[in-house]
């Protein structure tokens, strides 16, 4: 069953160069797990509540592949490039 990785990333005042490096490298880390970006930034139209930041949504063929990507050595190596400079939340959720 399809699974999604959803990240809510708060916008910093200035983008750190490490975040740009992360953005370049993350797609390579996704390939072995058949992950693909569905949403990567873009306009957010908040209709209820408060949503300060950006949305990133990645689709995977299964929960196992989504978890495998997140836990992979390739992703764990680049993860601090993002987490050291962007505040955010990230979940993996099964689709319907």
């Amino acid at each position: 069953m399809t699974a999604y990785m959803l990240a809510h990333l708060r916008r910093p005042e200035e983008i750190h160069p490490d975040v740009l490096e992360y953005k370049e490298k993350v797609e390579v880390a996704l390939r072995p797990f058949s992950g693909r970006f569905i949403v990567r930034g873009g306009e957010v139209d908040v209709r209820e509540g408060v949503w300060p930041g950006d949305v990133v949504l990645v689709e995977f063929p299964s929960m196992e592949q989504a978890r495998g990507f997140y836990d992979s050595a390739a992703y764990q190596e680049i993860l601090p490039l993002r987490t050291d400079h962007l505040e955010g939340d990230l979940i993996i959720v099964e689709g319907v």
Side-chain angles (χ1 to χ4, degrees):
M1 181 173 288
T2 304
Y4 299 92
M5 182 175 289
L6 173 69
H8 176 205
L9 303 174
R10 302 336 177 262
R11 292 184 192 125
E13 288 185 28
E14 197 171 307
I15 300 292
H16 192 279
D18 284 356
V19 175
L20 300 176
E21 182 180 347
Y22 169 87
K23 288 175 77 172
E24 291 174 10
K25 293 182 175 182
V26 70
E27 293 199 41
V28 173
L30 280 170
R31 283 187 199 129
F33 301 94
S34 301
R36 70 182 186 101
F37 284 99
I38 303 296
V39 176
R40 193 174 191 184
E43 180 181 352
V44 176
D45 180 1
V46 180
R47 296 298 176 110
E48 296 181 22
V50 178
W51 192 275
D54 293 319
V55 177
V56 177
L57 182 63
V58 181
E59 180 183 64
F60 293 90
S62 68
M63 286 291 281
E64 293 76 23
Q65 285 174 294
R67 290 177 179 136
F69 161 72
Y70 190 87
D71 295 336
S72 71
Y75 188 62
Q76 289 300 307
E77 182 178 322
I78 65 170
L79 185 57
L81 297 172
R82 176 179 61 79
T83 58
D84 287 352
H85 306 287
L86 290 177
E87 181 183 335
D89 306 299
L90 186 138
I91 63 168
I92 298 172
V93 62
E94 193 169 59
V96 294

